[in-house]
Amino acid sequence: MPELPEVETVKNVLKQNLLNLKITKVDVFYPPMIKTNLNEFLENLVGEEFLDVKRYGKWLVFETTNYALVSHLRMEGKYYYTLKCDREKHEHVIFHLDNGYVLRYKDVRKFGVMYLVKKEKLFTDTPLSELGLEPFSKDLNEDYLLEKFKTKRLPIKTVLLDQGIMTGLGNIYVDEVLFKSKISPFKKANLLNANDCKAIIESSKEILTDAIKLGGTTIRSYTSSLGVTGSYQDKLLVHTRKICPVCNSPILVKKIGGRSTYYCQKCQKVKDE
Ligand SMILES: [Zn+2]
């Protein structure tokens, strides 16, 4: 599944290709993917020019002349920017561009979603209204996390996956952040102290910055769009690993909230419980 660094990589590649291009036609082959009015999606984008591509958490936002096209890749969504050609299997949305190219959205499992809203409605009428702070946000600090965590009696692993608190960390990077912060994934979020919160923020920034530099992580079937593959998988310290790089203990894998969680029992002790 693409996480923040992967989406950042996709965003950068799309931005290099799409700016100043106009949309001449839109085809939607799987209407349930469009979460706002379908006819408006098909009609309103025609004649619009791509002015910017941004990322908020794991959401992509294409800014056009008047609209914001919001897209989430979910499990396997990918964008391809190519010369106009026949539609391939699993391509559900195709944007025709005024330079003879097309932007094609492919999604084998069809979990991806798109919203089209007027630009000024971006943070009120789309799921972006529910996002927590970005790991890189200046407003993210220990006090913010302590306040959010104090009512959460769930494992910190589960709480960090909740995009309404801190946005952008998925399964792989939460494991890495907790390992680096020396916090057990099982520890209840409401038992974390200010130092734990500080460690989480610092590790998140460090890990995501490195992962973005390396183009994200490529494991299992996921590769970003446009042939971009990341290499952060070589840097993972705990996720998918067998031996702890710090103490040489075996890395354990357990399900927490249904998600496979990798951790070192020795380096990530549950204290204060
Ligand atoms: Zn260890």
Side-chain angles (χ1 to χ4, degrees):
M1 184 182 345
E3 297 200 26
L4 188 151
E6 290 76 68
V7 179
E8 177 74 16
T9 305
V10 172
K11 184 262 295 179
N12 289 334
V13 177
L14 288 171
K15 196 170 163 174
Q16 281 165 25
N17 287 300
L18 294 179
L19 292 199
N20 307 318
L21 294 178
K22 260 190 189 152
I23 300 169
T24 55
K25 187 175 165 233
V26 181
D27 295 321
V28 174
F29 299 97
Y30 183 66
M33 196 159 267
I34 312 301
K35 298 298 175 192
T36 48
N37 184 284
L38 179 64
N39 286 331
E40 287 176 17
F41 191 94
L42 293 169
E43 287 164 18
N44 293 351
L45 279 172
V46 175
E48 291 283 301
E49 185 176 329
F50 285 108
L51 299 182
D52 206 353
V53 187
K54 293 178 174 168
R55 177 195 57 73
Y56 296 94
K58 292 187 264 179
W59 293 87
L60 285 168
V61 176
F62 301 83
E63 274 185 21
T64 67
T65 323
N66 299 292
Y67 291 89
L69 167 62
V70 182
S71 162
H72 200 299
L73 307 171
R74 299 285 187 214
M75 301 300 280
E76 293 191 1
K78 296 179 179 80
Y79 280 100
Y80 296 94
Y81 171 77
T82 64
L83 272 171
K84 200 171 181 155
C85 59
D86 288 339
R87 176 191 170 221
E88 282 180 24
K89 210 178 166 188
H90 306 302
E91 288 181 355
H92 306 303
V93 184
I94 296 179
F95 303 91
H96 299 258
L97 306 168
D98 65 348
N99 63 346
Y101 277 67
V102 282
L103 177 66
R104 298 142 62 194
Y105 179 72
K106 181 172 180 173
D107 193 340
V108 174
R109 296 174 69 176
K110 298 185 182 166
F111 288 147
V113 290
M114 290 182 197
Y115 296 76
L116 184 70
V117 294
K118 282 275 197 184
K119 271 201 264 199
E120 58 272 22
K121 300 269 175 84
L122 178 59
F123 295 104
T124 53
D125 291 20
T126 73
L128 265 58
S129 63
E130 291 154 25
L131 287 186
L133 293 176
E134 282 265 327
F136 301 107
S137 164
K138 286 190 187 77
D139 299 326
L140 181 66
N141 55 35
E142 299 92 280
D143 294 338
Y144 171 85
L145 286 186
L146 281 174
E147 181 63 28
K148 293 282 179 188
F149 289 166
K150 78 178 182 197
T151 54
K152 302 270 192 279
R153 288 153 181 269
L154 293 166
I156 183 63
K157 164 79 189 231
T158 305
V159 172
L160 283 180
L161 286 173
D162 176 351
Q163 302 296 304
I165 295 177
M166 189 161 107
T167 183
L169 290 182
N171 203 36
I172 300 170
Y173 296 107
V174 169
D175 284 359
E176 295 296 304
V177 164
L178 290 175
F179 178 78
K180 212 157 187 179
S181 309
K182 297 191 175 8
I183 298 169
S184 163
F186 295 96
K187 189 164 181 171
K188 304 275 189 290
N190 62 326
L191 298 177
L192 266 59
N193 62 32
N195 280 336
D196 294 330
C197 293
K198 203 171 172 184
I200 287 174
I201 294 168
E202 292 309 315
S203 314
S204 299
K205 283 197 255 191
E206 228 173 274
I207 288 167
L208 291 172
T209 303
D210 282 353
I212 288 168
K213 267 188 218 148
L214 294 174
T217 301
T218 310
I219 53 173
R220 300 194 200 95
S221 65
Y222 185 76
T223 50
S224 325
S225 71
L226 311 157
V228 176
T229 48
S231 60
Y232 193 74
Q233 64 275 15
D234 303 333
K235 292 263 201 155
L236 295 173
L237 296 175
V238 66
H239 193 87
T240 67
R241 295 292 179 225
K242 299 240 175 337
I243 301 289
C244 174
V246 174
C247 74
N248 287 322
S249 302
I251 296 291
L252 303 180
V253 194
K254 286 208 176 127
K255 293 261 183 194
I256 301 180
R259 310 298 300 276
S260 294
T261 301
Y262 293 76
Y263 66 102
C264 171
Q265 210 166 21
K266 208 169 156 197
C267 295
Q268 297 169 269
K269 286 197 178 118
V270 186
K271 293 173 204 148
D272 313 316
E273 243 187 297

